[in-house]
Amino acid sequence: MSDQDEQLLHLVFGGELEDISDIEFKDLEKLDVVGIFPSYATAYNAWKTKAQMTVDNAQMRYFIVHLHRLMDPDAA
């Protein structure tokens, strides 16, 4: 597999926070798992769409997690 074809998996998820100054969710059972994406660009597009849909709720936050870094922490 070439570097260009390498899968760099990213998870997009979000939920309502207890307080906007911290990252503690109000209800873990209500987390919105948007999906796992093959690149940062596709994850960013999904994150942006979800974030824009919830812009009226200041407590709602979405995040991008670099799964590929967790899966191979020794990689450069």
Side-chain angles (χ1 to χ4, degrees), residues 41-71:
T42 56
Y44 179 83
N45 287 337
W47 168 85
K48 186 175 178 181
T49 298
K50 285 302 235 178
Q52 288 175 339
M53 290 171 58
T54 59
V55 71
D56 292 336
N57 183 350
Q59 303 292 107
M60 194 69 161
R61 292 287 190 279
Y62 280 87
F63 300 90
I64 299 174
V65 178
H66 299 266
L67 290 180
H68 61 97
R69 292 181 185 165
L70 298 174
M71 295 168 63

Side-chain angles (χ1 to χ4, degrees), residues 29-47:
E29 291 184 17
K30 291 184 179 178
L31 287 180
D32 179 13
V33 178
V34 180
I36 297 175
F37 300 88
S39 69
Y40 181 80
T42 56
Y44 179 83
N45 287 337
W47 168 85

